[in-house]
Amino acid sequence: MDKTTALNELKEWEFKISAYNLLLSTAMFDESTIAPKGGLEYRSERFAYLNGILYELTTDKKIEEIIIYLSSLDDLTLEDKRKVTLYLKDINKTKAIPKDEYVAFSKAQMLASDAWEKAKKKDDYSIFKPHLLKMIDYQKRFALYRNPDKDPYDTLLDDYEEGMNKEKYDQFFKRIKEEILPLIRRITEAQKIDDTFLYRFYAKDKQAKLMHDINAYLGFDKDWGYMGISMHPFTCGMSNNDVRVTTAYDEHNLSSSIYSIIHEVGHAFYEHQMAKEYDGTILKAVSSGMHESQSRLFENYLGRDKNFIANYFYKMKELFKEELKDVTLDDYYRAVNASKPSLIRTDADELTYPIHILIRYEIEKGIFDGTLDLDDLDKIWDQYYQEYLGIKSDRPSLGILQDIHWSDGSFGYFPTYALGSAVAAQINAKMRKDMDVKKALSDDFKKITLYLKDHVQKYGALYPLDEILIKATDQSFDPDFYISYLKEKYTALYHLDK
Amino acid sequence: MDKTTALNELKEWEFKISAYNLLLSTAMFDESTIAPKGGLEYRSERFAYLNGILYELTTDKKIEEIIIYLSSLDDLTLEDKRKVTLYLKDINKTKAIPKDEYVAFSKAQMLASDAWEKAKKKDDYSIFKPHLLKMIDYQKRFALYRNPDKDPYDTLLDDYEEGMNKEKYDQFFKRIKEEILPLIRRITEAQKIDDTFLYRFYAKDKQAKLMHDINAYLGFDKDWGYMGISMHPFTCGMSNNDVRVTTAYDEHNLSSSIYSIIHEVGHAFYEHQMAKEYDGTILKAVSSGMHESQSRLFENYLGRDKNFIANYFYKMKELFKEELKDVTLDDYYRAVNASKPSLIRTDADELTYPIHILIRYEIEKGIFDGTLDLDDLDKIWDQYYQEYLGIKSDRPSLGILQDIHWSDGSFGYFPTYALGSAVAAQINAKMRKDMDVKKALSDDFKKITLYLKDHVQKYGALYPLDEILIKATDQSFDPDFYISYLKEKYTALYHLDK
């Protein structure tokens, strides 16, 4: 084999993979947004078949040899070197697991997801419990197959965020626990912010009009982006110039779709602003934490800034003349930033959010190091909520059954959400040093998206999170930015002493 | 080979084909409705690759042997026998053409489509002309490869409508010419119907609300159907319970989207009401004329009936209180049925429509039998319009460049449009004998869709058009139904003597 042939074959293989990925993503987007329910069975059988073809392509022995060969070379470009590293990681992940066990796991995954849905609907943890235990068992075993000498949870943490492990997350969450928990308690005792007006009736088509304007201001352009409606909001990057986001309008919640869209548009810009030549390659597969940092940056650090709010508030008041008659900019700003302990992670405010993740992290850690009784995970869940947030669900659907992640065995994923928020804080701080963000928020958002492109987003997955952070902020990840941001913002908002 | 193995392999092959077809159709629907333009290049390269995979699958040598073997058996079920016949026809079509010529043709097709788009935009026939001549040349040659002893145009006519040929179409269009042309002339001299109010401003979202109601009444249900927006309306049947239609709202034309949607919903019901077990097989590939008969039946014979109109007219008046203040049911009924010679086929009314097709048929015939000067097709086009409809375009974009069909070599397709209208007339007449259609139009449309399912649609492509007609109406195709329908309707509408 010679280098040129190997690189060409790699490219051809990437192209084929990207073709199946594109079509299957399009089908997935269609499924989540508009596909008539009646055709589900016909579609799923066929998607399963084509996913199988994609799997065969992905695990092709010939390409494995090529990648291994390429990994032995010293004179690859930076991009090719990184690609080979990332592909090799994936190959080793698959190779370490005996095929029959992997097939059995895939089936168990489907059953578990199914059971989770039923359990959640019936509010009955016992339906899901045996499946959850199976998922834990599989993932523990697989992690040990892959890295026999490594702590299994460390292996999983690294899957979702290259370079992360328990030691690093422990340090991070320790700070959250020490600094944020007490702040939440102080706020719980402080005077409440009135946010009741957010829950009046806000007609869907007017909300849609408002979002159209907000998206236009963000620069989410229909030449490269499309916004659809789905039950759960998500972003799907087909290619550099084809990024889809979805939202769900709630007529009894004014700010929920606004902030869910700003969040997704943050993800969308990341997909859009990576180098175009990464399209259809693994260099688009940015880590969860990094991706989440950009959506959180948009949603919270920029979107909930009073300067940004002022930009859309008066349009919104125009649309909802009656509904917002008695509401000032300041009322609205305080309401969309108000904090209150709640049971559901996805509804949590910016301040209590990391506590939801802390709880999941501690439970996952306990699951994998054997310190938690797997028989009582639902009760343990509730105890954590009681201890950290002072509230407790009376139904498992509001407790351990609320998230989809564990139902397909995605352990180690949750921590990246809090990490993403903290990374966003660090980027936000640096950006505010480098440029007049307040001004850009009020009159030229494009300056911000260009800044993020140049400092963060263009790299795609070319570097791991920490290297991108060093490039963008001149230093390694430091949770202090996050802690200070939350403390400053919330002591001011609730008029607390520093 | 034994029968069971052969049938199983056929089934497996059909499943694979149907999987790629489903994905590519979903992608095509996405492309025509929502896909951001910026991603077009990335998408087309990948669609082309997967279309190639599908082509390889379709022309698989092994399956060809299986189908040839099956065609030699006598004891197949009716369904399998018909499938084998249809697949064999496709195989022979492909086999007769040398592969290199087919590849060259595909490329020429793409160039021709491209040139047609440019020519239409620049209103310059000379850009398209050399490509059109190439398409004619290819199709003539290919038709002779396939059936050396048959008139090439007959071969093409049979492609779009099994069993049809020049002789039969000649008889049909002779009647149109003799009976409908004079009627059109009489109407041109009669007192005009005032339809100007249809072109006032009608807001898009109100039109959408109205269509929601009309679709609900038609029974176009979101459990199996979805309506999107696209530049040109179309229907795409993914499977029995997943049928998509599109529309385009024109705020300066009240009835255009109403009737285009009713038309597409007619196609949609056909896709929905075929036997479910035909899904993913060639038994869903109903002929153009048959399919068009159902959309025309919905659009014209049912949708423009005063009883159906009465059903939505008052809702519509409620929505457009100001705009329709001065309009009565009768005014509206007459306006949406008014007839007037026009240049564009797709905008033509029910009466002049077949003349647009007659013109195309005569030109296609002349192209293939050599009686027309290929150098002057654009002028010939205009002469026909002048002669038959008394109007002439001053721009080729309103003349020979208006339709997409010839740009990819689809000669022989147009006649099925007029045939479809005539077939609809025959089915309509029989249905009105068998049941109280007027009543069903006003209060129970479901009776009509069920009737059509049982008498026509359930068969799918199990029989050719004429056999379905015999089953549904007890007689072969007879253009008299169409001629009488148009004469009766339009003499009454324009108060002419019979």
Side-chain angles (χ1 to χ4, degrees):
Chain A
M1 202 165 340
D2 70 294
K3 194 179 104 177
T4 315
T5 316
L7 284 173
N8 283 340
E9 296 215 15
L10 181 71
K11 217 167 174 176
E12 205 181 299
W13 173 76
E14 282 179 323
F15 175 79
K16 289 180 189 171
I17 301 262
S18 74
Y20 282 92
N21 270 330
L22 171 66
L23 253 78
L24 286 162
S25 307
T26 307
M28 188 278 288
F29 187 82
D30 179 88
E31 192 69 53
S32 317
T33 49
I34 59 164
K37 283 176 302 214
L40 181 63
E41 195 188 329
Y42 184 87
R43 290 190 301 266
S44 345
E45 284 169 356
R46 278 149 190 88
F47 295 163
Y49 165 70
L50 291 162
N51 267 312
I53 302 268
L54 176 59
Y55 180 78
E56 275 169 36
L57 251 177
T58 315
T59 55
D60 180 26
K61 286 283 152 210
K62 202 182 135 206
I63 205 71
E64 187 182 316
E65 281 166 32
I66 288 169
I67 288 169
I68 291 171
Y69 162 74
L70 284 169
S71 74
S72 72
L73 303 181
D74 292 324
D75 60 340
L76 295 181
T77 63
L78 183 65
E79 282 78 9
D80 286 336
K81 213 180 157 103
R82 176 69 174 160
K83 271 188 194 175
V84 167
T85 307
L86 292 172
Y87 285 129
L88 205 59
K89 200 175 163 190
D90 277 355
I91 288 172
N92 289 334
K93 202 166 148 181
T94 320
K95 262 179 80 175
I97 301 162
K99 201 177 170 180
D100 55 335
E101 288 194 50
Y102 188 80
V103 171
F105 168 66
S106 301
K107 279 187 195 155
Q109 243 181 342
M110 277 178 54
L111 293 175
S113 295
D114 215 49
W116 170 73
E117 254 182 60
K118 274 196 200 110
K120 193 173 176 180
K121 208 173 273 171
K122 295 198 172 174
D123 229 324
D124 179 355
Y125 174 59
S126 72
I127 298 173
F128 179 52
K129 186 176 163 181
H131 295 275
L132 176 59
L133 299 186
K134 235 178 233 166
M135 286 295 109
I136 293 171
D137 188 54
Y138 268 116
Q139 292 296 38
K140 207 179 269 185
R141 194 142 35 97
F142 286 1
L144 286 171
Y145 285 152
R146 289 162 56 200
N147 301 302
D149 304 325
K150 200 167 164 179
D151 180 291
Y153 192 45
D154 274 346
T155 293
L156 295 172
L157 289 171
D158 184 81
D159 279 350
Y160 292 101
E161 196 55 66
E162 189 184 359
M164 289 302 287
N165 54 32
K166 278 201 287 189
E167 198 193 328
K168 293 182 188 171
Y169 274 124
D170 277 346
Q171 286 171 15
F172 172 54
F173 283 114
K174 187 164 171 267
R175 298 293 314 277
I176 302 279
K177 221 163 146 172
E178 286 172 357
E179 309 264 9
I180 306 304
L181 271 189
L183 179 58
I184 291 172
R185 281 177 199 136
R186 285 175 69 201
I187 282 178
T188 315
E189 285 151 22
Q191 203 191 339
K192 302 271 164 295
I193 289 172
D194 176 21
D195 63 355
T196 49
F197 63 85
L198 292 176
Y199 308 101
R200 293 171 184 166
F201 179 81
Y202 297 95
K204 211 185 274 190
D205 49 344
K206 284 192 197 171
Q207 286 197 42
K209 260 183 202 150
L210 176 65
M211 283 324 303
H212 182 85
D213 281 353
I214 295 182
N215 278 338
Y217 184 63
L218 293 171
F220 183 66
D221 188 317
K222 75 174 175 31
D223 275 354
W224 60 268
Y226 171 79
M227 194 179 85
I229 307 280
S230 70
M231 184 114 67
H232 305 287
F234 66 93
T235 298
C236 176
M238 308 286 183
S239 68
N240 198 284
N241 277 321
D242 181 355
V243 188
R244 323 286 178 92
V245 304
T246 70
T247 191
Y249 292 112
D250 178 349
E251 296 195 310
H252 290 281
N253 191 330
L254 175 59
S255 66
S256 107
S257 76
I258 294 177
Y259 285 99
S260 102
I261 292 171
I262 297 176
H263 179 98
E264 300 306 330
V265 168
H267 281 305
F269 264 101
Y270 209 157
E271 292 291 317
H272 174 53
Q273 299 203 120
M274 285 184 228
K276 200 172 186 231
E277 55 273 25
Y278 298 174
D279 266 350
T281 78
I282 202 162
L283 295 182
K284 288 221 84 168
V286 164
S287 78
S288 320
M290 210 52 220
H291 226 305
E292 193 71 7
S293 79
Q294 301 303 290
S295 56
R296 297 273 162 186
L297 183 61
F298 266 60
E299 177 189 349
N300 295 330
Y301 300 83
L302 306 172
R304 292 185 207 267
D305 185 301
K306 203 186 266 184
N307 296 284
F308 183 82
I309 290 175
N311 190 291
Y312 75 78
F313 180 74
Y314 299 101
K315 274 178 219 152
M316 185 168 74
K317 254 194 110 132
E318 195 58 38
L319 277 166
F320 297 109
K321 264 196 196 95
E322 271 308 303
E323 298 87 334
L324 292 176
K325 200 166 51 181
D326 53 340
V327 178
T328 67
L329 173 62
D330 203 57
D331 294 338
Y332 180 77
Y333 164 73
R334 288 171 55 83
V336 299
N337 281 294
S339 175
K340 194 168 68 187
S342 63
L343 290 169
I344 302 292
R345 176 184 63 85
T346 53
D347 297 340
D349 59 78
E350 205 180 345
L351 182 66
T352 56
Y353 189 85
I355 309 305
H356 291 263
I357 302 303
L358 166 68
I359 292 171
R360 284 153 181 79
Y361 174 67
E362 297 202 341
I363 296 178
E364 287 186 342
K365 223 171 63 160
I367 285 174
F368 284 89
D369 68 15
T371 55
L372 284 186
D373 185 354
L374 299 189
D375 234 24
D376 285 327
L377 289 177
D378 54 336
K379 292 186 198 86
I380 293 169
W381 182 286
D382 293 336
Q383 281 157 17
Y384 268 113
Y385 268 82
Q386 184 63 57
E387 186 187 339
Y388 289 163
L389 289 172
I391 51 175
K392 214 174 102 174
S393 77
D394 52 352
R395 285 148 49 191
S397 64
L398 304 177
I400 193 168
L401 291 177
Q402 69 180 267
D403 293 308
I404 196 172
H405 304 60
W406 291 351
S407 77
D408 65 354
S410 299
F411 303 101
Y413 191 150
F414 284 125
T416 68
Y417 289 145
L419 180 66
S421 299
V423 165
Q426 185 164 336
I427 293 168
N428 181 54
K430 180 65 166 51
M431 180 167 65
R432 287 181 190 252
K433 254 195 198 165
D434 289 348
M435 63 180 274
D436 187 349
V437 169
K438 282 188 184 174
K439 190 171 171 339
L441 285 175
S442 0
D443 68 11
D444 195 3
F445 198 82
K446 196 162 185 191
K447 281 210 181 100
I448 291 173
T449 49
L450 280 179
Y451 179 95
L452 292 172
K453 179 181 183 175
D454 285 344
H455 292 79
V456 177
Q457 299 178 346
K458 67 175 181 189
Y459 297 120
L462 189 59
Y463 306 105
L465 181 143
D466 210 51
E467 281 184 48
I468 295 177
L469 261 185
I470 293 171
K471 282 180 190 296
T473 69
D474 308 322
Q475 63 178 103
S476 258
F477 173 60
D478 181 350
D480 265 356
F481 291 100
Y482 188 37
I483 306 288
S484 321
Y485 163 83
L486 289 175
K487 282 170 87 172
E488 259 172 56
K489 175 167 177 174
Y490 281 91
T491 45
L493 198 70
Y494 281 88
H495 312 297
L496 306 175
D497 302 327
K498 289 232 170 161
Chain B
M1 203 168 336
D2 70 296
K3 193 179 105 175
T4 316
T5 316
L7 284 174
N8 282 339
E9 296 215 15
L10 181 72
K11 217 168 173 175
E12 207 181 296
W13 173 77
E14 281 179 322
F15 175 79
K16 289 180 190 170
I17 300 263
S18 74
Y20 281 93
N21 270 329
L22 173 66
L23 234 74
L24 287 161
S25 306
T26 307
M28 188 278 288
F29 186 81
D30 180 87
E31 190 69 52
S32 317
T33 50
I34 58 165
K37 283 178 303 220
L40 180 63
E41 196 188 329
Y42 184 88
R43 290 191 300 266
S44 346
E45 284 169 355
R46 278 147 189 90
F47 296 167
Y49 166 70
L50 290 165
N51 265 312
I53 303 268
L54 176 59
Y55 179 79
E56 274 169 37
L57 253 176
T58 314
T59 55
D60 180 26
K61 287 284 152 210
K62 201 182 137 208
I63 206 71
E64 188 181 316
E65 280 166 32
I66 288 168
I67 288 168
I68 292 171
Y69 162 75
L70 284 170
S71 74
S72 72
L73 303 181
D74 292 326
D75 60 339
L76 295 181
T77 63
L78 181 65
E79 283 78 10
D80 285 337
K81 212 181 160 101
R82 176 68 174 162
K83 271 188 196 175
V84 167
T85 306
L86 292 172
Y87 285 129
L88 205 59
K89 200 177 162 187
D90 278 355
I91 287 172
N92 289 334
K93 202 166 147 181
T94 319
K95 261 178 82 175
I97 301 162
K99 199 176 171 181
D100 55 336
E101 287 193 50
Y102 188 81
V103 171
F105 168 65
S106 302
K107 278 188 196 155
Q109 245 182 342
M110 278 178 53
L111 294 175
S113 296
D114 216 48
W116 170 73
E117 255 183 58
K118 273 196 202 111
K120 193 173 175 180
K121 208 174 273 171
K122 294 199 172 175
D123 229 325
D124 179 357
Y125 175 59
S126 72
I127 298 173
F128 180 51
K129 185 175 161 181
H131 296 275
L132 175 58
L133 299 186
K134 236 178 232 166
M135 286 295 109
I136 293 171
D137 188 56
Y138 269 117
Q139 291 297 39
K140 209 179 265 184
R141 195 143 34 98
F142 287 0
L144 287 171
Y145 284 153
R146 290 161 56 198
N147 301 302
D149 304 324
K150 201 169 165 177
D151 180 289
Y153 192 45
D154 274 346
T155 294
L156 296 172
L157 289 172
D158 185 81
D159 279 351
Y160 292 101
E161 196 56 66
E162 189 185 0
M164 288 303 286
N165 55 32
K166 277 202 285 188
E167 197 193 331
K168 292 182 188 171
Y169 273 123
D170 277 346
Q171 285 171 18
F172 171 55
F173 282 114
K174 188 163 171 271
R175 296 293 313 280
I176 302 278
K177 220 162 147 174
E178 286 170 358
E179 310 261 10
I180 304 305
L181 270 189
L183 179 58
I184 291 173
R185 281 177 199 136
R186 285 174 70 202
I187 282 177
T188 314
E189 286 151 22
Q191 204 192 337
K192 302 273 164 294
I193 289 172
D194 176 21
D195 63 356
T196 49
F197 63 84
L198 292 176
Y199 308 101
R200 291 171 184 164
F201 179 81
Y202 297 95
K204 214 184 271 189
D205 49 343
K206 285 192 196 170
Q207 286 197 41
K209 260 183 202 150
L210 176 64
M211 284 323 305
H212 181 85
D213 281 354
I214 294 181
N215 278 338
Y217 184 61
L218 293 171
F220 183 66
D221 188 317
K222 75 173 175 34
D223 274 354
W224 61 269
Y226 170 79
M227 194 178 86
I229 306 281
S230 71
M231 184 116 65
H232 304 288
F234 66 93
T235 298
C236 177
M238 309 286 185
S239 67
N240 198 281
N241 277 321
D242 181 355
V243 188
R244 322 286 177 92
V245 304
T246 71
T247 192
Y249 292 112
D250 177 350
E251 295 194 312
H252 290 281
N253 190 329
L254 175 59
S255 66
S256 106
S257 75
I258 295 178
Y259 285 101
S260 102
I261 292 171
I262 297 177
H263 179 99
E264 300 307 330
V265 168
H267 281 306
F269 264 101
Y270 209 155
E271 292 291 316
H272 175 54
Q273 300 204 119
M274 286 184 227
K276 202 172 184 231
E277 55 274 26
Y278 297 174
D279 265 351
T281 78
I282 202 163
L283 295 182
K284 289 221 84 169
V286 165
S287 78
S288 321
M290 210 51 219
H291 226 305
E292 193 70 7
S293 79
Q294 301 303 290
S295 55
R296 297 274 162 184
L297 183 62
F298 266 60
E299 178 190 348
N300 294 329
Y301 300 82
L302 305 172
R304 293 186 208 267
D305 185 301
K306 205 187 267 186
N307 296 284
F308 183 80
I309 290 176
N311 190 291
Y312 76 78
F313 181 73
Y314 298 100
K315 273 177 221 152
M316 185 169 74
K317 254 192 107 130
E318 195 59 39
L319 277 165
F320 297 110
K321 264 198 197 97
E322 271 309 301
E323 298 86 335
L324 292 175
K325 200 167 50 181
D326 54 341
V327 179
T328 66
L329 172 61
D330 203 55
D331 296 337
Y332 180 76
Y333 164 73
R334 287 170 56 81
V336 299
N337 281 293
S339 174
K340 195 167 68 189
S342 63
L343 289 169
I344 302 291
R345 176 183 63 84
T346 54
D347 297 340
D349 58 77
E350 205 180 347
L351 182 66
T352 56
Y353 190 83
I355 309 304
H356 291 264
I357 303 303
L358 165 69
I359 292 171
R360 285 155 179 79
Y361 174 67
E362 297 201 341
I363 296 178
E364 287 187 341
K365 224 171 64 161
I367 286 173
F368 284 90
D369 67 15
T371 56
L372 284 186
D373 184 354
L374 299 189
D375 233 27
D376 284 329
L377 289 176
D378 54 337
K379 292 185 197 87
I380 293 169
W381 181 287
D382 294 336
Q383 280 157 17
Y384 268 112
Y385 268 82
Q386 184 63 55
E387 186 187 340
Y388 289 163
L389 289 172
I391 50 174
K392 216 174 101 174
S393 78
D394 52 353
R395 285 149 48 191
S397 64
L398 304 177
I400 192 167
L401 291 177
Q402 68 181 267
D403 294 308
I404 197 173
H405 304 60
W406 291 351
S407 77
D408 67 353
S410 299
F411 304 100
Y413 192 150
F414 283 126
T416 68
Y417 289 145
L419 180 67
S421 300
V423 165
Q426 185 165 337
I427 294 167
N428 180 54
K430 180 65 166 47
M431 181 168 63
R432 287 183 190 249
K433 254 194 196 165
D434 289 348
M435 63 180 276
D436 188 347
V437 169
K438 283 188 185 178
K439 191 171 169 337
L441 285 175
S442 0
D443 67 11
D444 194 2
F445 198 82
K446 198 165 184 185
K447 281 210 180 100
I448 291 172
T449 49
L450 281 178
Y451 179 95
L452 292 172
K453 179 180 184 176
D454 286 343
H455 291 79
V456 177
Q457 299 178 347
K458 68 175 181 191
Y459 298 120
L462 189 59
Y463 306 105
L465 181 144
D466 210 51
E467 281 185 47
I468 295 177
L469 261 185
I470 292 171
K471 282 181 190 294
T473 69
D474 306 323
Q475 63 179 101
S476 256
F477 172 60
D478 181 351
D480 266 356
F481 291 101
Y482 188 37
I483 305 289
S484 321
Y485 163 83
L486 288 176
K487 282 169 87 172
E488 259 173 55
K489 175 167 178 175
Y490 281 91
T491 46
L493 198 70
Y494 280 88
H495 311 298
L496 306 176
D497 303 327
K498 288 230 169 162

